[in-house]
Amino acid sequence: MPVHQRILLKLSGEALMGDDAFGINRATIDRIVAEVAEVVQLGVQVAVVIGGGNIFRGVAGGAAGMERATADYMGMLATVMNALALGDAMNRQGLKARVMSAINIDQVVEPYVRPKALQYLEEGKVVVFAAGTGNPFFTTDTAAALRGAEIGAEIVLKATKVDGVYSADPKKDPHAVRYQSISFDEAMARQLQVMDATAFALCRDQELPVRVFSIFKPGALRRVVQGEDEGTLVHV
């Protein structure tokens, strides 16, 4: 039986790129959906917060010098594009997915309403949260912490390209050690880049644990929800 019954999966936009410079790699998104489907079949309720860096990267040059709030709203729209692509891929693979946006684009996607999101989760649907928190100056990490707390998730799973939190950059330091678990306070004291400070503080204050793992390791998501030693657990 899964250890976690309701999870919030935080996916970066870059996770959808595969080996492409930007945009969405179809084979990559289908593989990620297959990983999600595996845990849904175990009876786990899954919500997803997705970033938009892969889309925004394609227009980053034109955004140089832009007002921060405007650039952040563009980033939110990029997350909506990713969420729609992810939801479509899930539905094509037999999952029932619902995309909900923190900014109103009624003709494209339904607005985020907490009771409705909870209803979808209880019905076994995967809920994909788009547009971050709906406000500029907040990252999708913060959106993951916020939505995770709102829906009563047992854990936030931050899916990255690295299989956990290390004492140093493993690409630069061959002696870097992966932490099996670490407290929020210790991670902050050691200035480990787990999430942005706002998201980190929210998770700590809400006693919402975070597990950092690699979405590119086959079966890693399933192993995480079953409580196996995968990635790094950050806890109170």
Side-chain angles (χ1 to χ4, degrees), residues 60-165:
M66 186 178 292
E67 184 183 6
R68 169 66 187 275
T70 300
D72 281 359
Y73 279 117
M74 290 175 64
M76 290 180 216
L77 294 174
T79 72
V80 173
M81 295 171 68
N82 279 339
L84 289 170
L86 185 62
D88 177 75
M90 288 178 172
N91 287 319
R92 284 190 294 102
Q93 290 197 35
L95 292 175
K96 294 180 179 179
R98 294 291 183 271
V99 178
M100 307 186 86
S101 171
I103 56 177
N104 290 332
I105 321 174
D106 292 346
Q107 292 92 334
V108 179
V109 60
E110 67 179 291
Y112 168 67
V113 179
R114 179 176 174 271
K116 195 70 174 177
L118 291 171
Q119 177 186 328
Y120 287 151
L121 289 170
E122 290 164 2
E123 291 172 350
K125 298 179 174 69
V126 178
V127 182
V128 184
F129 297 121
T133 66
N135 300 286
F137 308 107
F138 292 96
T139 69
T140 49
D141 275 352
T142 300
L146 177 62
R147 296 290 181 252
E150 284 184 306
I151 66 170
E154 298 165 26
I155 192 168
V156 171
L157 305 181
K158 183 169 181 180
T160 68
K161 294 182 178 180
V162 183
D163 64 341
V165 178

